[in-house]
Amino acid sequence: MFRFNLHKKVLGALLLLSLAPLGLLLFNSQHSLRLVEDLLRQQTTAAFDNQATKALESRAQMVAAQVAAFLREVEGDLLDLSLLTPSEEIYQDFCQGHLRQLWYRQDRNNAPVEIRETAFLYSELAYVDRNGQERLRIVDGQPSVQYRNVSVPEQTTYKNEVYFRQAKKLDVGQVWVSRLHGWYVGRDDQRQGSLEAVQGTPYRGVIRFATPIRRNGKLQGVVVLTLDHRHLMEYTQHISPVWDDDVVSPSYSSANYAFMFDDQGWMIAHPKYWDIRGYDPDGSLVPAYSQATSEQDIKAGRIPFNLFAADFIHPNYPLVAEAVLRGESGVVETINIGGSNKIMAYAPIPYGAGVYRGHNVFGGITIGAEIDQFHQPAVATSLLIREQIDEYLKQSWLVISLTVMFVVATAYLLSDSIVRPLLLLTEGTRRMIRGNLSPEVKIVSDDEVGELADSFNTMVAELNNRRNRLMKTLQALRRSRKEIIRERNFKETVFENIETGLLTFDAASKVTSVNGSACRILAIERPGSDCSWKKLLASWPELHEVLDRWFLASVAGDKSQFREYVPLERNGRTLTYRMAMFPLSFRQQEGWLLTIEDLTERVNLRQQMARMDRLASLGRMSAGIAHEVRNPLTGVSLLLDELHDRLLGNEPDQLLIRQALGEIERLETLVNEMLHFSAQPEPKLSQVAISDVVADSLLLTRKQCQRQKITLTETIAENLPPIILDADRLKQVLLNLLNNAMEAMPDGGTLAVNVETSGTAILLHIIDSGVGIPADKLPLIFEPFFTSKGQGTGLGLAISYNIISDRGGEIYVDSEVGVGTTVVVSLPLKLA
């Protein structure tokens, strides 16, 4: 197998370095010249096309300006006519004074000839009285005796004209201009078998110009000037886009022609009369040619052209019409009905009288040219450029062939002097690859190859040193990585498992991390990146005030620690959170650490223990007082009974003694309740039905409710589970609560008792419509000896609270002054 050794490669490289520039030079020259050729051809074509496009657009703009000036000239003629006295002689003279030339082609004995005819500019002049009746009418320069009432559209020439109705609404000097009206001329009517439209039925349309005549503000009549449409067609009929001179009639089969359309997109001037809008004999407008046109109409040649409906022929047609309505001009590529590709320039006709007042545009002028003829000058210039460049390239090949032979011999000698030392370096490199990092290459030379050998030996020594240092560094990195992972795992474990909620913020107060305890305490989800603390704690507005104050203090330069207890209300419960914020500085990034602890259970337990201590002390004191007072009260009561018996016949004194005995009896009742409060008997637990206990309690209070005119309702859920408790003590609680509710409604009201299950507890609701309890007294209602009734001991609710608490339940009270009070007793289904 043929093998390229280093000598051959160097020789090839030298030959390549010598010969390649010549080849590249030739290739680059040829490539560059071809690029220049393409660029010149493109730029020349673009320049010719751009120049032709601008010329075509400028010609369209010029024709549009001429048409606009012509329309204003007609408008001026109408105003001049309105100043003349309406008479046949004056109107005939006016008509004779306005003549213009028509240039057209006509077929005579199958030999078309050009005809230049002088014709009346205005085919009809009329004076109409204020009732719409024609009083004077000149048709084609001659008086007419056929007068009509043109206030009725059906009596007008085309059976649908409203120029009189519109003109009589105008002020003096204002002009009404109608759209083009004319009987429709079909394709067969114009062509009559000929390929070009040089014979057959002509299109005779009109455009009405009308202005009112008023005296002292009252309408006297309307002057009507009817423009012969053929004079309007003269502006587009003789334009040839590819020739400078006008033509008598363009060839519409070649697409080199111009046409005019109105502001509704209708064709109003075109070599093909069947493209122009027109009316049937009954006065109805022939529908525009569209995709919905029937095959019968297409074959019959009933296909008037409307640009807004011609998008199925080419989408640019409606775009041209829309651009003209915006007052814009330009150039687009389209395809005509005959399938010819053409360039079409368009320009708006600025005119805003009559029906054209909406867009202030009469319509548009378009001038089209076939694309092949449009690009013909550019193509000819491009071919000339290519011929000149081909001749230059043929000469370039001769220059390259003269320098090749000189390079080969020199390249061979140079390659041999370079290869030998390099072979020695190659062998030393191979030994180093096999793991021997101490090869020494011995080359005796003072040139660059000798310096390369010395550098190679130095490199090998340095590689040995660096490999040793790298191995030591790698071992140290492995040890550091294990320590970092161990430390990171420890910190993550502590951060996530600590009971205290932790949140960290950066210097911009954005939340950077949240541990699981914080998510549990605050009932939030872990935030994403770049999360605002206000958004994260949106459901905790009580914390916003604290954090705002702390962050403002930190911005002001206070770097101390912040601590605060925050009370909260959630779902009817009072929560207590302890918050603290500490400054952080980690990896040159400042921030804050926020700790949140839920101390609610701890605070509640502390309050409950304080209450229990207070009640125990109060119970001991009450028991002592009750024992010390009870015996003397008994003696006093006996003495008063004896004294009462001795005072028989002395009624006033006996009455005083009976009152004293009553007060002593009330005092004994208070002593008994104090003893009952201080020494609750052991509950007699049994499995009972809550519904039975509630029914017994309601039975005892129903009569009292009837006497007080209180409506009592009860709603007890079915299939309530049995519960273990002391039925008598629960009945005592219910009677106490029901009596309190009835006492709150001295003038009657409603009392509702509802019993239901909720999860693992039974809920008893006692709802009254009484006077309610003030908000400042709600926290005190379960305190011993507190009463707002002016009588009683104030121990009823305290005893009830102790009974329910001993059972493991809870009592909640919600009250609003003037609305009523709701008491909820919650009893767990199972004892703790």
Side-chain angles (χ1 to χ4, degrees):
M1 182 178 179
F2 183 76
R3 180 174 177 271
F4 280 100
N5 55 23
L6 185 59
H7 178 69
K8 294 177 182 178
K9 290 180 180 179
V10 173
L11 178 60
L14 292 174
L15 292 175
L16 181 63
L17 292 175
S18 301
L19 299 178
L22 295 176
L24 289 175
L25 177 61
L26 178 61
F27 173 78
N28 185 58
S29 298
Q30 183 174 358
H31 180 68
S32 299
L33 286 173
R34 291 301 182 190
L35 291 177
V36 170
E37 175 195 347
D38 292 340
L39 181 61
L40 285 175
R41 293 174 63 190
Q42 291 174 5
Q43 291 182 348
T44 303
T45 302
F48 275 104
D49 290 348
N50 186 44
Q51 183 177 2
T53 299
K54 289 183 178 179
L56 207 62
E57 183 178 356
S58 298
R59 192 170 185 183
Q61 292 173 344
M62 180 184 68
V63 175
Q66 291 174 351
V67 173
F70 173 65
L71 294 173
R72 287 190 286 271
E73 180 182 344
V74 175
E75 189 176 322
D77 289 345
L78 174 65
L79 296 177
D80 292 342
L81 181 61
S82 67
L83 299 176
L84 301 178
T85 302
S87 68
E88 288 185 358
E89 182 179 356
I90 293 175
Y91 273 37
Q92 275 187 290
D93 290 342
F94 186 90
C95 187
Q96 293 290 342
H98 291 79
L99 302 173
R100 287 207 179 187
Q101 190 179 72
L102 296 175
W103 183 24
Y104 57 92
R105 187 169 56 181
Q106 189 175 35
D107 183 34
R108 293 182 179 177
N109 298 323
N110 296 324
V113 295
E114 295 183 12
I115 297 178
R116 294 182 183 269
E117 174 189 353
T118 300
F120 293 111
L121 181 61
Y122 304 115
S123 60
E124 184 177 335
L125 292 79
Y127 177 78
V128 185
D129 66 14
R130 61 185 178 185
N131 295 321
Q133 184 65 42
E134 292 180 333
R135 298 300 179 184
L136 177 60
R137 186 180 181 208
I138 305 297
V139 179
D140 291 332
Q142 299 298 322
S144 174
V145 296
Q146 294 182 356
Y147 298 133
R148 306 162 299 177
N149 189 337
V150 295
S151 66
V152 179
E154 291 76 8
Q155 295 186 19
T156 59
T157 303
Y158 299 101
K159 301 181 181 181
N160 59 11
E161 299 179 79
V162 294
Y163 55 86
F164 172 76
R165 293 183 179 180
Q166 298 295 337
K168 72 178 185 178
K169 301 176 184 178
L170 304 178
D171 294 331
V172 175
Q174 293 183 332
V175 176
W176 173 261
V177 184
S178 73
R179 302 193 186 279
L180 173 65
H181 286 74
W183 301 121
Y184 181 72
V185 176
R187 180 179 58 210
D188 296 338
D189 295 331
Q190 182 185 6
R191 293 173 58 175
Q192 294 187 357
S194 174
L195 294 178
E196 296 292 338
V198 297
Q199 61 183 2
T201 304
Y203 184 91
R204 293 294 301 273
V206 298
I207 297 179
R208 310 278 190 188
F209 290 73
T211 187
I213 297 177
R214 299 182 183 273
R215 289 195 183 95
N216 298 325
K218 294 184 178 180
L219 179 67
Q220 301 298 316
V222 173
V223 177
V224 182
L225 195 61
T226 303
L227 174 65
D228 188 340
H229 165 256
R230 294 180 296 170
H231 294 285
L232 191 63
M233 287 184 62
E234 285 292 303
Y235 286 95
T236 60
Q237 198 73 357
H238 309 301
I239 295 176
S240 175
V242 295
W243 302 104
D244 294 333
D245 298 331
D246 291 340
V247 295
V248 60
S249 180
S251 173
Y252 55 79
S253 61
S254 66
N256 294 319
Y257 58 84
F259 63 81
M260 186 187 311
F261 61 92
D262 65 9
D263 62 332
Q264 289 184 337
W266 286 104
M267 203 70 64
I268 59 176
H270 197 281
K272 298 182 295 182
Y273 295 158
W274 61 84
D275 278 355
I276 301 176
R277 65 173 274 165
Y279 293 87
D280 283 333
D282 61 355
S284 60
L285 185 65
V286 177
Y289 181 34
S290 67
Q291 287 181 304
T293 302
S294 66
E295 289 293 332
Q296 181 180 357
D297 286 343
I298 294 174
K299 291 180 180 179
R302 283 174 53 87
I303 48 175
F305 201 80
N306 188 303
L307 269 65
F308 286 112
D311 55 340
F312 71 101
I313 299 174
H314 197 282
N316 280 341
Y317 280 120
L319 297 181
V320 168
E322 292 172 359
V324 164
L325 292 182
R326 295 193 298 270
E328 300 173 1
S329 61
V331 179
V332 296
E333 290 190 13
T334 61
I335 300 175
N336 66 2
I337 296 179
S340 299
N341 292 323
K342 68 176 187 176
I343 296 290
M344 189 174 75
Y346 60 90
I349 302 172
Y351 185 71
V355 295
Y356 308 103
R357 186 170 299 170
H359 296 93
N360 288 322
V361 172
F362 179 79
I365 297 292
T366 68
I367 303 176
E370 278 191 305
I371 289 181
D372 293 339
Q373 296 184 12
F374 185 79
H375 294 312
Q376 188 172 2
V379 173
T381 304
S382 177
L383 291 176
L384 180 60
I385 292 173
R386 166 160 285 187
E387 290 176 359
Q388 295 296 324
I389 290 179
D390 287 342
E391 182 64 25
Y392 175 79
L393 287 175
K394 291 178 182 178
Q395 298 174 2
S396 299
W397 280 101
L398 297 175
V399 178
I400 303 299
S401 303
L402 301 176
T403 56
V404 176
M405 299 300 296
F406 177 76
V407 177
V408 176
T410 306
Y412 181 84
L413 296 174
L414 288 175
S415 65
D416 187 68
S417 63
I418 295 173
V419 168
R420 292 185 182 276
L422 293 180
L423 292 176
L424 295 176
L425 288 173
T426 302
E427 182 60 28
T429 304
R430 288 173 179 172
R431 291 198 302 269
M432 185 176 65
I433 291 173
R434 290 193 293 267
N436 184 7
L437 293 182
S438 58
E440 183 177 355
V441 178
K442 296 181 180 180
I443 296 177
V444 180
S445 177
D446 295 332
D447 57 9
E448 287 79 0
V449 177
E451 293 179 0
L452 178 61
D454 294 338
S455 299
F456 178 80
N457 295 330
T458 304
M459 179 190 68
V460 172
E462 183 64 23
L463 283 176
N464 279 317
N465 295 332
R466 292 191 178 186
R467 185 180 67 172
N468 295 332
R469 291 197 300 268
L470 183 61
M471 293 301 295
K472 293 179 180 178
T473 303
L474 183 60
Q475 293 176 356
L477 286 175
R478 287 175 178 172
R479 290 193 299 270
S480 299
R481 180 176 179 274
K482 292 180 180 179
E483 293 175 358
I484 291 172
I485 292 175
R486 190 184 303 114
E487 182 180 356
R488 183 195 63 187
N489 293 338
F490 173 76
K491 290 181 178 179
E492 288 182 354
T493 302
V494 173
F495 184 78
E496 285 298 327
N497 294 285
I498 192 172
E499 289 295 326
T500 303
L502 300 176
L503 295 88
T504 59
F505 309 95
D506 59 14
S509 302
K510 298 288 186 180
V511 180
T512 57
S513 63
V514 179
N515 73 345
S517 297
C519 294
R520 175 180 51 78
I521 293 173
L522 299 175
I524 59 176
E525 299 291 336
R526 291 186 185 271
S529 60
D530 196 27
C531 177
S532 169
W533 68 267
K534 290 188 176 181
K535 179 180 179 181
L536 181 65
L537 303 179
S539 59
W540 299 89
E542 301 90 341
L543 306 183
H544 287 201
E545 180 182 355
V546 177
L547 290 176
D548 278 332
R549 187 170 67 252
W550 288 356
F551 281 126
L552 287 175
S554 65
V555 171
D558 188 356
K559 299 300 182 181
S560 61
Q561 302 177 0
F562 303 98
R563 291 184 176 86
E564 188 168 331
Y565 287 85
V566 182
L568 305 167
E569 292 292 335
R570 282 294 183 279
N571 300 323
R573 295 182 59 206
T574 299
L575 307 178
T576 303
Y577 285 178
R578 182 171 67 182
M579 299 173 56
M581 193 165 74
F582 310 92
L584 286 178
S585 179
F586 179 68
R587 294 181 180 176
Q588 298 180 349
Q589 295 181 358
E590 295 185 353
W592 296 91
L593 172 66
L594 176 68
T595 65
I596 298 180
E597 296 181 77
D598 186 356
L599 303 182
T600 303
E601 297 298 331
R602 194 183 306 175
V603 170
N604 291 342
L605 182 60
R606 187 181 302 164
Q607 292 176 350
Q608 187 174 2
M609 292 178 64
R611 173 182 172 83
M612 292 176 62
D613 290 342
R614 186 169 63 254
L615 292 178
S617 299
L618 186 59
R620 289 191 297 271
M621 182 187 70
S622 299
I625 293 174
H627 282 293
E628 293 298 329
V629 172
R630 192 172 189 179
N631 292 331
L633 281 178
T634 302
V636 171
S637 178
L638 293 174
L639 292 175
L640 286 176
D641 279 336
E642 180 66 22
L643 183 60
H644 178 271
D645 293 339
R646 292 182 180 183
L647 294 176
L648 293 173
N650 191 349
E651 188 63 27
D653 291 340
Q654 284 185 330
L655 179 61
L656 291 175
I657 291 173
R658 284 196 298 272
Q659 290 177 348
L661 287 172
E663 291 300 317
I664 290 174
E665 184 178 356
R666 190 170 67 85
L667 188 58
E668 285 181 345
T669 301
L670 174 61
V671 169
N672 289 332
E673 288 189 4
M674 291 175 63
L675 289 173
H676 184 72
F677 173 74
S678 61
Q680 289 284 346
E682 285 295 324
K684 300 176 181 179
L685 299 178
S686 62
Q687 193 173 58
V688 299
I690 287 289
S691 57
D692 295 340
V693 179
V694 173
D696 292 344
S697 302
L698 292 177
L699 180 64
L700 299 175
T701 58
R702 199 177 302 276
K703 289 293 184 181
Q704 182 64 25
C705 289
Q706 293 175 355
R707 286 194 295 270
Q708 291 186 220
K709 297 180 180 180
I710 295 174
T711 302
L712 178 62
T713 62
E714 55 181 295
T715 303
I716 301 176
E718 297 181 356
N719 300 322
L720 291 174
I723 187 172
I724 297 176
L725 49 71
D726 189 332
D728 293 335
R729 298 184 72 182
L730 178 59
K731 186 185 297 184
Q732 179 184 356
V733 172
L734 292 176
L735 290 174
N736 198 351
L737 296 176
L738 292 171
N739 288 332
N740 286 345
M742 289 187 292
E743 290 174 358
M745 297 182 289
D747 298 326
T750 59
L751 177 60
V753 178
N754 303 329
V755 184
E756 61 181 359
T757 58
S758 176
T760 60
I762 293 180
L763 301 182
L764 293 87
H765 301 262
I766 300 175
I767 307 168
D768 66 64
S769 60
V771 296
I773 303 172
D776 58 335
K777 294 184 179 180
L778 271 177
L780 307 174
I781 59 176
F782 294 115
E783 294 295 327
F785 304 109
F786 173 80
T787 179
S788 60
K789 296 180 291 187
Q791 61 183 357
T793 62
L795 293 173
L797 286 178
I799 294 173
S800 299
Y801 184 87
N802 288 343
I803 291 173
I804 298 302
S805 297
D806 291 343
R807 175 57 180 73
E810 294 179 318
I811 299 181
Y812 307 101
V813 179
D814 183 21
S815 182
E816 184 176 351
V817 176
V819 177
T821 303
T822 299
V823 180
V824 180
V825 178
S826 175
L827 295 171
L829 294 174
K830 295 182 179 181
L831 292 174

